[in-house]
PDB file of all heavy atoms in Angstrom:
ATOM      1  N   HIS A   1     -99.717  28.026 -49.187  1.00 58.00           N
ATOM      2  CA  HIS A   1    -101.147  27.852 -49.436  1.00 58.00           C
ATOM      3  C   HIS A   1    -101.445  26.437 -49.928  1.00 58.00           C
ATOM      4  O   HIS A   1    -102.434  25.811 -49.517  1.00 58.00           O
ATOM      5  CB  HIS A   1    -101.599  28.873 -50.470  1.00 58.00           C
ATOM      6  CG  HIS A   1    -103.056  28.772 -50.804  1.00 58.00           C
ATOM      7  ND1 HIS A   1    -104.045  29.094 -49.909  1.00 58.00           N
ATOM      8  CD2 HIS A   1    -103.685  28.349 -51.938  1.00 58.00           C
ATOM      9  CE1 HIS A   1    -105.219  28.895 -50.457  1.00 58.00           C
ATOM     10  NE2 HIS A   1    -105.025  28.440 -51.703  1.00 58.00           N
ATOM     11  N   GLU A   2    -100.572  25.909 -50.814  1.00 63.00           N
ATOM     12  CA  GLU A   2    -100.788  24.549 -51.315  1.00 63.00           C
ATOM     13  C   GLU A   2    -100.652  23.518 -50.194  1.00 63.00           C
ATOM     14  O   GLU A   2    -101.419  22.561 -50.113  1.00 63.00           O
ATOM     15  CB  GLU A   2     -99.787  24.256 -52.422  1.00 63.00           C
ATOM     16  CG  GLU A   2    -100.070  25.056 -53.709  1.00 63.00           C
ATOM     17  CD  GLU A   2     -99.012  24.793 -54.761  1.00 63.00           C
ATOM     18  OE1 GLU A   2     -98.064  24.032 -54.452  1.00 63.00           O
ATOM     19  OE2 GLU A   2     -99.142  25.337 -55.877  1.00 63.00           O
ATOM     20  N   ARG A   3     -99.672  23.708 -49.307  1.00 65.00           N
ATOM     21  CA  ARG A   3     -99.491  22.762 -48.201  1.00 65.00           C
ATOM     22  C   ARG A   3    -100.700  22.775 -47.271  1.00 65.00           C
ATOM     23  O   ARG A   3    -101.202  21.725 -46.859  1.00 65.00           O
ATOM     24  CB  ARG A   3     -98.233  23.127 -47.424  1.00 65.00           C
ATOM     25  CG  ARG A   3     -96.939  22.871 -48.214  1.00 65.00           C
ATOM     26  CD  ARG A   3     -95.735  23.415 -47.449  1.00 65.00           C
ATOM     27  NE  ARG A   3     -94.511  23.248 -48.232  1.00 65.00           N
ATOM     28  CZ  ARG A   3     -93.334  23.753 -47.863  1.00 65.00           C
ATOM     29  NH1 ARG A   3     -93.246  24.469 -46.725  1.00 65.00           N
ATOM     30  NH2 ARG A   3     -92.270  23.561 -48.622  1.00 65.00           N
ATOM     31  N   SER A   4    -101.162  23.972 -46.944  1.00 63.00           N
ATOM     32  CA  SER A   4    -102.323  24.045 -46.056  1.00 63.00           C
ATOM     33  C   SER A   4    -103.555  23.456 -46.723  1.00 63.00           C
ATOM     34  O   SER A   4    -104.379  22.818 -46.073  1.00 63.00           O
ATOM     35  CB  SER A   4    -102.584  25.500 -45.672  1.00 63.00           C
ATOM     36  OG  SER A   4    -102.844  26.266 -46.824  1.00 63.00           O
ATOM     37  N   ARG A   5    -103.662  23.613 -48.042  1.00 58.00           N
ATOM     38  CA  ARG A   5    -104.795  23.032 -48.746  1.00 58.00           C
ATOM     39  C   ARG A   5    -104.729  21.510 -48.729  1.00 58.00           C
ATOM     40  O   ARG A   5    -105.748  20.834 -48.574  1.00 58.00           O
ATOM     41  CB  ARG A   5    -104.810  23.543 -50.191  1.00 58.00           C
ATOM     42  CG  ARG A   5    -106.014  23.098 -51.003  1.00 58.00           C
ATOM     43  CD  ARG A   5    -105.995  23.689 -52.376  1.00 58.00           C
ATOM     44  NE  ARG A   5    -104.792  23.279 -53.098  1.00 58.00           N
ATOM     45  CZ  ARG A   5    -104.475  23.706 -54.315  1.00 58.00           C
ATOM     46  NH1 ARG A   5    -105.249  24.580 -54.933  1.00 58.00           N
ATOM     47  NH2 ARG A   5    -103.376  23.286 -54.911  1.00 58.00           N
ATOM     48  N   ASP A   6    -103.509  20.947 -48.878  1.00 60.00           N
ATOM     49  CA  ASP A   6    -103.367  19.493 -48.810  1.00 60.00           C
ATOM     50  C   ASP A   6    -103.746  18.965 -47.430  1.00 60.00           C
ATOM     51  O   ASP A   6    -104.306  17.863 -47.302  1.00 60.00           O
ATOM     52  CB  ASP A   6    -101.918  19.098 -49.139  1.00 60.00           C
ATOM     53  CG  ASP A   6    -101.566  19.438 -50.582  1.00 60.00           C
ATOM     54  OD1 ASP A   6    -102.517  19.579 -51.390  1.00 60.00           O
ATOM     55  OD2 ASP A   6    -100.375  19.595 -50.895  1.00 60.00           O
ATOM     56  N   LYS A   7    -103.422  19.745 -46.395  1.00 59.00           N
ATOM     57  CA  LYS A   7    -103.769  19.309 -45.036  1.00 59.00           C
ATOM     58  C   LYS A   7    -105.279  19.358 -44.811  1.00 59.00           C
ATOM     59  O   LYS A   7    -105.836  18.499 -44.126  1.00 59.00           O
ATOM     60  CB  LYS A   7    -103.071  20.205 -44.004  1.00 59.00           C
ATOM     61  CG  LYS A   7    -101.560  20.013 -43.983  1.00 59.00           C
ATOM     62  CD  LYS A   7    -100.932  20.947 -42.958  1.00 59.00           C
ATOM     63  CE  LYS A   7     -99.419  20.779 -42.940  1.00 59.00           C
ATOM     64  NZ  LYS A   7     -98.789  21.704 -41.964  1.00 59.00           N
ATOM     65  N   ARG A   8    -105.920  20.381 -45.371  1.00 58.00           N
ATOM     66  CA  ARG A   8    -107.357  20.519 -45.164  1.00 58.00           C
ATOM     67  C   ARG A   8    -108.175  19.551 -46.006  1.00 58.00           C
ATOM     68  O   ARG A   8    -109.331  19.292 -45.704  1.00 58.00           O
ATOM     69  CB  ARG A   8    -107.791  21.957 -45.475  1.00 58.00           C
ATOM     70  CG  ARG A   8    -107.270  22.995 -44.513  1.00 58.00           C
ATOM     71  CD  ARG A   8    -108.015  24.315 -44.704  1.00 58.00           C
ATOM     72  NE  ARG A   8    -107.888  24.812 -46.055  1.00 58.00           N
ATOM     73  CZ  ARG A   8    -106.933  25.664 -46.442  1.00 58.00           C
ATOM     74  NH1 ARG A   8    -106.013  26.069 -45.568  1.00 58.00           N
ATOM     75  NH2 ARG A   8    -106.890  26.095 -47.686  1.00 58.00           N
ATOM     76  N   TRP A   9    -107.594  18.993 -47.054  1.00 56.00           N
ATOM     77  CA  TRP A   9    -108.357  18.138 -47.977  1.00 56.00           C
ATOM     78  C   TRP A   9    -108.912  16.881 -47.313  1.00 56.00           C
ATOM     79  O   TRP A   9    -110.085  16.575 -47.504  1.00 56.00           O
ATOM     80  CB  TRP A   9    -107.476  17.785 -49.167  1.00 56.00           C
ATOM     81  CG  TRP A   9    -108.234  17.082 -50.251  1.00 56.00           C
ATOM     82  CD1 TRP A   9    -108.210  15.767 -50.554  1.00 56.00           C
ATOM     83  CD2 TRP A   9    -109.141  17.683 -51.162  1.00 56.00           C
ATOM     84  NE1 TRP A   9    -109.033  15.491 -51.600  1.00 56.00           N
ATOM     85  CE2 TRP A   9    -109.629  16.661 -51.997  1.00 56.00           C
ATOM     86  CE3 TRP A   9    -109.612  18.980 -51.358  1.00 56.00           C
ATOM     87  CZ2 TRP A   9    -110.550  16.897 -53.007  1.00 56.00           C
ATOM     88  CZ3 TRP A   9    -110.517  19.216 -52.363  1.00 56.00           C
ATOM     89  CH2 TRP A   9    -110.984  18.182 -53.171  1.00 56.00           C
ATOM     90  N   PRO A  10    -108.117  16.115 -46.528  1.00 58.00           N
ATOM     91  CA  PRO A  10    -108.699  14.928 -45.863  1.00 58.00           C
ATOM     92  C   PRO A  10    -109.838  15.280 -44.918  1.00 58.00           C
ATOM     93  O   PRO A  10    -110.818  14.546 -44.816  1.00 58.00           O
ATOM     94  CB  PRO A  10    -107.507  14.330 -45.101  1.00 58.00           C
ATOM     95  CG  PRO A  10    -106.306  14.854 -45.792  1.00 58.00           C
ATOM     96  CD  PRO A  10    -106.676  16.211 -46.275  1.00 58.00           C
ATOM     97  N   GLU A  11    -109.715  16.433 -44.218  1.00 57.00           N
ATOM     98  CA  GLU A  11    -110.786  16.830 -43.314  1.00 57.00           C
ATOM     99  C   GLU A  11    -112.075  17.105 -44.079  1.00 57.00           C
ATOM    100  O   GLU A  11    -113.162  16.735 -43.641  1.00 57.00           O
ATOM    101  CB  GLU A  11    -110.356  18.083 -42.540  1.00 57.00           C
ATOM    102  CG  GLU A  11    -109.131  17.846 -41.653  1.00 57.00           C
ATOM    103  CD  GLU A  11    -108.723  19.120 -40.950  1.00 57.00           C
ATOM    104  OE1 GLU A  11    -109.380  20.155 -41.214  1.00 57.00           O
ATOM    105  OE2 GLU A  11    -107.775  19.086 -40.153  1.00 57.00           O
ATOM    106  N   ARG A  12    -111.944  17.726 -45.251  1.00 54.00           N
ATOM    107  CA  ARG A  12    -113.139  17.976 -46.054  1.00 54.00           C
ATOM    108  C   ARG A  12    -113.759  16.660 -46.521  1.00 54.00           C
ATOM    109  O   ARG A  12    -114.973  16.496 -46.538  1.00 54.00           O
ATOM    110  CB  ARG A  12    -112.781  18.822 -47.269  1.00 54.00           C
ATOM    111  CG  ARG A  12    -112.395  20.255 -46.909  1.00 54.00           C
ATOM    112  CD  ARG A  12    -112.072  21.037 -48.160  1.00 54.00           C
ATOM    113  NE  ARG A  12    -111.724  22.409 -47.829  1.00 54.00           N
ATOM    114  CZ  ARG A  12    -111.341  23.306 -48.733  1.00 54.00           C
ATOM    115  NH1 ARG A  12    -111.259  22.953 -50.010  1.00 54.00           N
ATOM    116  NH2 ARG A  12    -111.041  24.529 -48.356  1.00 54.00           N
ATOM    117  N   GLU A  13    -112.902  15.690 -46.912  1.00 54.00           N
ATOM    118  CA  GLU A  13    -113.429  14.398 -47.358  1.00 54.00           C
ATOM    119  C   GLU A  13    -114.190  13.712 -46.231  1.00 54.00           C
ATOM    120  O   GLU A  13    -115.252  13.114 -46.441  1.00 54.00           O
ATOM    121  CB  GLU A  13    -112.285  13.511 -47.849  1.00 54.00           C
ATOM    122  CG  GLU A  13    -111.682  14.010 -49.179  1.00 54.00           C
ATOM    123  CD  GLU A  13    -110.573  13.092 -49.640  1.00 54.00           C
ATOM    124  OE1 GLU A  13    -110.136  12.242 -48.825  1.00 54.00           O
ATOM    125  OE2 GLU A  13    -110.157  13.211 -50.808  1.00 54.00           O
ATOM    126  N   ARG A  14    -113.637  13.808 -45.031  1.00 52.00           N
ATOM    127  CA  ARG A  14    -114.330  13.198 -43.892  1.00 52.00           C
ATOM    128  C   ARG A  14    -115.684  13.851 -43.665  1.00 52.00           C
ATOM    129  O   ARG A  14    -116.685  13.182 -43.438  1.00 52.00           O
ATOM    130  CB  ARG A  14    -113.475  13.355 -42.629  1.00 52.00           C
ATOM    131  CG  ARG A  14    -112.181  12.537 -42.666  1.00 52.00           C
ATOM    132  CD  ARG A  14    -111.323  12.887 -41.466  1.00 52.00           C
ATOM    133  NE  ARG A  14    -110.009  12.305 -41.575  1.00 52.00           N
ATOM    134  CZ  ARG A  14    -109.003  12.601 -40.765  1.00 52.00           C
ATOM    135  NH1 ARG A  14    -109.190  13.503 -39.789  1.00 52.00           N
ATOM    136  NH2 ARG A  14    -107.822  12.028 -40.912  1.00 52.00           N
ATOM    137  N   SER A  15    -115.684  15.181 -43.746  1.00 51.00           N
ATOM    138  CA  SER A  15    -116.953  15.876 -43.514  1.00 51.00           C
ATOM    139  C   SER A  15    -117.969  15.513 -44.586  1.00 51.00           C
ATOM    140  O   SER A  15    -119.150  15.319 -44.316  1.00 51.00           O
ATOM    141  CB  SER A  15    -116.722  17.388 -43.493  1.00 51.00           C
ATOM    142  OG  SER A  15    -116.193  17.825 -44.728  1.00 51.00           O
ATOM    143  N   TRP A  16    -117.503  15.390 -45.846  1.00 47.00           N
ATOM    144  CA  TRP A  16    -118.420  15.005 -46.910  1.00 47.00           C
ATOM    145  C   TRP A  16    -118.964  13.590 -46.688  1.00 47.00           C
ATOM    146  O   TRP A  16    -120.135  13.314 -46.878  1.00 47.00           O
ATOM    147  CB  TRP A  16    -117.713  15.093 -48.262  1.00 47.00           C
ATOM    148  CG  TRP A  16    -117.395  16.507 -48.656  1.00 47.00           C
ATOM    149  CD1 TRP A  16    -117.969  17.641 -48.177  1.00 47.00           C
ATOM    150  CD2 TRP A  16    -116.400  16.925 -49.591  1.00 47.00           C
ATOM    151  NE1 TRP A  16    -117.421  18.748 -48.755  1.00 47.00           N
ATOM    152  CE2 TRP A  16    -116.438  18.348 -49.638  1.00 47.00           C
ATOM    153  CE3 TRP A  16    -115.481  16.270 -50.399  1.00 47.00           C
ATOM    154  CZ2 TRP A  16    -115.617  19.083 -50.457  1.00 47.00           C
ATOM    155  CZ3 TRP A  16    -114.663  17.016 -51.232  1.00 47.00           C
ATOM    156  CH2 TRP A  16    -114.726  18.410 -51.247  1.00 47.00           C
ATOM    157  N   ALA A  17    -118.037  12.677 -46.304  1.00 49.00           N
ATOM    158  CA  ALA A  17    -118.474  11.301 -46.058  1.00 49.00           C
ATOM    159  C   ALA A  17    -119.473  11.247 -44.906  1.00 49.00           C
ATOM    160  O   ALA A  17    -120.474  10.540 -44.957  1.00 49.00           O
ATOM    161  CB  ALA A  17    -117.256  10.424 -45.742  1.00 49.00           C
ATOM    162  N   TRP A  18    -119.198  12.002 -43.867  1.00 47.00           N
ATOM    163  CA  TRP A  18    -120.115  12.047 -42.732  1.00 47.00           C
ATOM    164  C   TRP A  18    -121.475  12.584 -43.156  1.00 47.00           C
ATOM    165  O   TRP A  18    -122.511  12.082 -42.774  1.00 47.00           O
ATOM    166  CB  TRP A  18    -119.516  12.943 -41.643  1.00 47.00           C
ATOM    167  CG  TRP A  18    -120.422  13.049 -40.438  1.00 47.00           C
ATOM    168  CD1 TRP A  18    -120.532  12.177 -39.405  1.00 47.00           C
ATOM    169  CD2 TRP A  18    -121.339  14.115 -40.174  1.00 47.00           C
ATOM    170  NE1 TRP A  18    -121.463  12.614 -38.504  1.00 47.00           N
ATOM    171  CE2 TRP A  18    -121.969  13.805 -38.950  1.00 47.00           C
ATOM    172  CE3 TRP A  18    -121.689  15.278 -40.835  1.00 47.00           C
ATOM    173  CZ2 TRP A  18    -122.916  14.629 -38.384  1.00 47.00           C
ATOM    174  CZ3 TRP A  18    -122.635  16.097 -40.279  1.00 47.00           C
ATOM    175  CH2 TRP A  18    -123.240  15.773 -39.069  1.00 47.00           C
ATOM    176  N   GLY A  19    -121.473  13.606 -44.040  1.00 49.00           N
ATOM    177  CA  GLY A  19    -122.738  14.139 -44.513  1.00 49.00           C
ATOM    178  C   GLY A  19    -123.523  13.121 -45.311  1.00 49.00           C
ATOM    179  O   GLY A  19    -124.736  12.991 -45.171  1.00 49.00           O
ATOM    180  N   GLU A  20    -122.819  12.319 -46.150  1.00 49.00           N
ATOM    181  CA  GLU A  20    -123.516  11.300 -46.926  1.00 49.00           C
ATOM    182  C   GLU A  20    -124.124  10.233 -46.032  1.00 49.00           C
ATOM    183  O   GLU A  20    -125.239   9.774 -46.248  1.00 49.00           O
ATOM    184  CB  GLU A  20    -122.546  10.679 -47.915  1.00 49.00           C
ATOM    185  CG  GLU A  20    -122.127  11.647 -49.038  1.00 49.00           C
ATOM    186  CD  GLU A  20    -121.122  11.020 -49.956  1.00 49.00           C
ATOM    187  OE1 GLU A  20    -120.730   9.864 -49.685  1.00 49.00           O
ATOM    188  OE2 GLU A  20    -120.730  11.676 -50.945  1.00 49.00           O
ATOM    189  N   SER A  21    -123.380   9.807 -44.986  1.00 53.00           N
ATOM    190  CA  SER A  21    -123.911   8.782 -44.092  1.00 53.00           C
ATOM    191  C   SER A  21    -125.162   9.288 -43.362  1.00 53.00           C
ATOM    192  O   SER A  21    -126.125   8.546 -43.191  1.00 53.00           O
ATOM    193  CB  SER A  21    -122.835   8.374 -43.077  1.00 53.00           C
ATOM    194  OG  SER A  21    -122.449   9.491 -42.294  1.00 53.00           O
ATOM    195  N   GLU A  22    -125.124  10.551 -42.970  1.00 55.00           N
ATOM    196  CA  GLU A  22    -126.295  11.112 -42.300  1.00 55.00           C
ATOM    197  C   GLU A  22    -127.502  11.124 -43.242  1.00 55.00           C
ATOM    198  O   GLU A  22    -128.625  10.813 -42.856  1.00 55.00           O
ATOM    199  CB  GLU A  22    -125.983  12.543 -41.828  1.00 55.00           C
ATOM    200  CG  GLU A  22    -125.024  12.613 -40.654  1.00 55.00           C
ATOM    201  CD  GLU A  22    -125.659  12.079 -39.382  1.00 55.00           C
ATOM    202  OE1 GLU A  22    -126.887  12.171 -39.273  1.00 55.00           O
ATOM    203  OE2 GLU A  22    -124.943  11.545 -38.533  1.00 55.00           O
ATOM    204  N   ARG A  23    -127.251  11.490 -44.498  1.00 58.00           N
ATOM    205  CA  ARG A  23    -128.352  11.492 -45.456  1.00 58.00           C
ATOM    206  C   ARG A  23    -128.922  10.088 -45.645  1.00 58.00           C
ATOM    207  O   ARG A  23    -130.133   9.887 -45.736  1.00 58.00           O
ATOM    208  CB  ARG A  23    -127.862  12.036 -46.803  1.00 58.00           C
ATOM    209  CG  ARG A  23    -127.518  13.510 -46.767  1.00 58.00           C
ATOM    210  CD  ARG A  23    -126.864  13.938 -48.051  1.00 58.00           C
ATOM    211  NE  ARG A  23    -126.401  15.310 -47.966  1.00 58.00           N
ATOM    212  CZ  ARG A  23    -125.650  15.893 -48.895  1.00 58.00           C
ATOM    213  NH1 ARG A  23    -125.274  15.203 -49.960  1.00 58.00           N
ATOM    214  NH2 ARG A  23    -125.279  17.139 -48.752  1.00 58.00           N
ATOM    215  N   GLU A  24    -128.026   9.100 -45.746  1.00 64.00           N
ATOM    216  CA  GLU A  24    -128.500   7.729 -45.910  1.00 64.00           C
ATOM    217  C   GLU A  24    -129.332   7.287 -44.709  1.00 64.00           C
ATOM    218  O   GLU A  24    -130.365   6.634 -44.859  1.00 64.00           O
ATOM    219  CB  GLU A  24    -127.302   6.798 -46.088  1.00 64.00           C
ATOM    220  CG  GLU A  24    -126.580   7.023 -47.429  1.00 64.00           C
ATOM    221  CD  GLU A  24    -125.358   6.136 -47.549  1.00 64.00           C
ATOM    222  OE1 GLU A  24    -125.071   5.408 -46.557  1.00 64.00           O
ATOM    223  OE2 GLU A  24    -124.702   6.155 -48.597  1.00 64.00           O
ATOM    224  N   ARG A  25    -128.891   7.633 -43.513  1.00 62.00           N
ATOM    225  CA  ARG A  25    -129.652   7.289 -42.315  1.00 62.00           C
ATOM    226  C   ARG A  25    -131.043   7.909 -42.338  1.00 62.00           C
ATOM    227  O   ARG A  25    -132.045   7.240 -42.049  1.00 62.00           O
ATOM    228  CB  ARG A  25    -128.908   7.762 -41.063  1.00 62.00           C
ATOM    229  CG  ARG A  25    -127.611   7.005 -40.793  1.00 62.00           C
ATOM    230  CD  ARG A  25    -126.899   7.628 -39.605  1.00 62.00           C
ATOM    231  NE  ARG A  25    -125.589   7.041 -39.408  1.00 62.00           N
ATOM    232  CZ  ARG A  25    -124.693   7.488 -38.519  1.00 62.00           C
ATOM    233  NH1 ARG A  25    -124.999   8.543 -37.760  1.00 62.00           N
ATOM    234  NH2 ARG A  25    -123.530   6.904 -38.396  1.00 62.00           N
ATOM    235  N   ASP A  26    -131.093   9.186 -42.720  1.00 66.00           N
ATOM    236  CA  ASP A  26    -132.392   9.862 -42.770  1.00 66.00           C
ATOM    237  C   ASP A  26    -133.320   9.207 -43.782  1.00 66.00           C
ATOM    238  O   ASP A  26    -134.513   9.014 -43.532  1.00 66.00           O
ATOM    239  CB  ASP A  26    -132.199  11.335 -43.128  1.00 66.00           C
ATOM    240  CG  ASP A  26    -131.447  12.074 -42.034  1.00 66.00           C
ATOM    241  OD1 ASP A  26    -131.448  11.570 -40.892  1.00 66.00           O
ATOM    242  OD2 ASP A  26    -130.860  13.139 -42.340  1.00 66.00           O
ATOM    243  N   SER A  27    -132.766   8.856 -44.953  1.00 68.00           N
ATOM    244  CA  SER A  27    -133.608   8.225 -45.973  1.00 68.00           C
ATOM    245  C   SER A  27    -134.100   6.856 -45.504  1.00 68.00           C
ATOM    246  O   SER A  27    -135.255   6.478 -45.742  1.00 68.00           O
ATOM    247  CB  SER A  27    -132.816   8.089 -47.276  1.00 68.00           C
ATOM    248  OG  SER A  27    -131.666   7.285 -47.078  1.00 68.00           O
TER     249      SER A  27
END
């Protein structure tokens, strides 16, 4: 479970970063 969580963590960071960029564009 810990290994799979470590693998999923970068993907979540990317999705969060992508969400922030979209918000900035909209603003």
